[in-house]
Amino acid sequence: VHVPPGQGVDAIVSHALEEPGQHILRVEVGYLGGDGGTKTLRKFYRFQVTNPLMIRQEIFRASEDSLFVNITLEHTGDENPTSGLTVCQAEFEAVEGLIAKTIGGS
């Protein structure tokens, strides 16, 4: 990407982070110095990745051919207790050969 003098570039970088914990984003820019030589500038940004959801499941066998599954989602993001988390939709998909029916919920 060529950036003319006095100009700038804004970029959004998106990457799925699977591991909770501390991560580092490294940004490196190469440019030509006043003497015509190539120079580089590196900047490191440290940030914390947390898992905002805890998913728990309970399975109860009701009879030989039926069982109940209870799935609980818990918001564990405690960095800012006033922030919220919205779950717009959740579905339970049974494996082939089984049938899933919703029997309650809020």
Side-chain angles (χ1 to χ4, degrees), residues 7-26:
Q7 300 288 316
V9 173
D10 288 331
I12 297 174
V13 178
S14 177
H15 180 74
L17 297 173
E18 309 271 331
E19 301 280 327
Q22 186 172 18
H23 290 263
I24 299 172
L25 172 65
R26 184 182 93 182

Side-chain angles (χ1 to χ4, degrees), residues 86-106:
T86 302
V87 177
C88 297
Q89 182 177 348
E91 292 183 27
F92 180 79
E93 294 182 11
V95 295
E96 188 175 329
L98 296 179
I99 299 169
K101 294 182 185 178
T102 301
I103 58 172
S106 52

Side-chain angles (χ1 to χ4, degrees), residues 12 14 21 28 35 37 54 56 59 63 68 70-71 76 79 82 84 88 100:
I12 297 174
S14 177
E28 185 172 336
D35 59 357
M54 179 184 296
R56 287 192 299 258
I59 301 173
S63 66
F68 296 102
N70 179 42
I71 305 291
T76 60
E79 309 81 43
T82 61
C88 297

Side-chain angles (χ1 to χ4, degrees), residues 54-89:
M54 179 184 296
I55 303 172
R56 287 192 299 258
Q57 64 181 17
E58 297 175 275
I59 301 173
F60 305 99
R61 180 172 287 274
S63 66
E64 183 66 29
D65 61 349
S66 66
L67 55 92
F68 296 102
V69 177
N70 179 42
I71 305 291
T72 304
L73 296 175
E74 181 181 344
H75 180 213
T76 60
D78 55 13
E79 309 81 43
N80 183 355
T82 61
S83 69
L85 180 67
T86 302
V87 177
C88 297
Q89 182 177 348

Side-chain angles (χ1 to χ4, degrees), residues 33-46:
D35 59 357
T38 302
K39 297 185 178 194
T40 58
L41 171 68
R42 290 187 190 109
K43 185 85 176 178
F44 297 90
Y45 299 93
R46 295 178 189 269

